[in-house]
Each structure stands twice: as structure tokens, then as C-alpha cells.
Amino acid sequence: MDIEKDLLAINAELHSDLEKYLLDNGSNNRDLYGINILLDDFEIEFDSLINPPRNREAGFPRVGRDVADPVAREKIVEVVNKWIEL
């Protein structure tokens, strides 16, 4: 997901595949986060292997794969709600 451009890239085997797709199409790495949208549970899971670099850049160096920045989490929810009715 690109939180700056309000874009979702969906349906790939790995988040890194979608990350590469967004980067190849003009997104900035600092704006990209990986999430899972659990349609059966109407839930957003903020877990991805692409998130730790963004967490470090945002000042959360030891939080793992979750999106740690509360501002980014809020923006992620906004973008998901823009494109998908959960």
C-alpha cells in the first residue's frame, strides 16, 4: 500500500512483489507498507516483512513486522476504507 498516493496493490504471493510493482510505478519506498486484508473477519492485519525498514525510519526500531507508527496506521485504515468496504 502507498499511503501517500492512496493506492492499494493486491493479490500477489508476497508483499515484496507488490512493493516492487509500486516502486516500479513511481511510489517512494518510505510511503509503502504491507498489510493483509482479512475479508472474512472484516479486519486489517498490519503485519508484513516489508514494514521493519519503515518502522526504523519512523523512529520505532524494535517493533518487528507490525506497522508501529500510529499516523501511518490511521492513514492505512483511511486508504483501505476508500477502496474496500469491510
Side-chain angles (χ1 to χ4, degrees):
M1 145 172 300
D2 183 327
I3 62 171
E4 183 64 28
K5 294 183 178 184
D6 292 353
L7 294 175
L8 290 174
I10 59 172
N11 200 19
E13 189 153 334
L14 299 171
H15 288 136
S16 58
D17 296 334
L18 298 172
E19 177 186 38
K20 182 178 178 343
Y21 174 81
L22 288 169
L23 290 170
D24 288 348
N25 286 281
S27 290
N28 290 314
N29 206 14
R30 70 176 181 274
D31 300 324
L32 301 182
Y33 287 90
I35 63 166
N36 296 304
I37 300 170
L38 308 174
L39 296 175
D40 291 340
D41 297 327
F42 307 103
E43 184 179 346
I44 300 170
E45 182 179 68
F46 296 92
D47 178 38
S48 175
L49 289 172
I50 73 166
N51 293 331
R54 266 50 109 210
N55 288 334
R56 285 191 295 277
E57 291 166 8
F60 303 96
R62 292 186 170 83
V63 295
R65 300 176 351 167
D66 281 345
V67 177
D69 184 349
V71 174
R73 286 175 77 102
E74 190 173 304
K75 182 63 177 176
I76 287 166
V77 170
E78 286 177 26
V79 174
V80 169
N81 287 330
K82 176 180 178 178
W83 293 105
I84 298 172
E85 186 174 322
L86 292 180

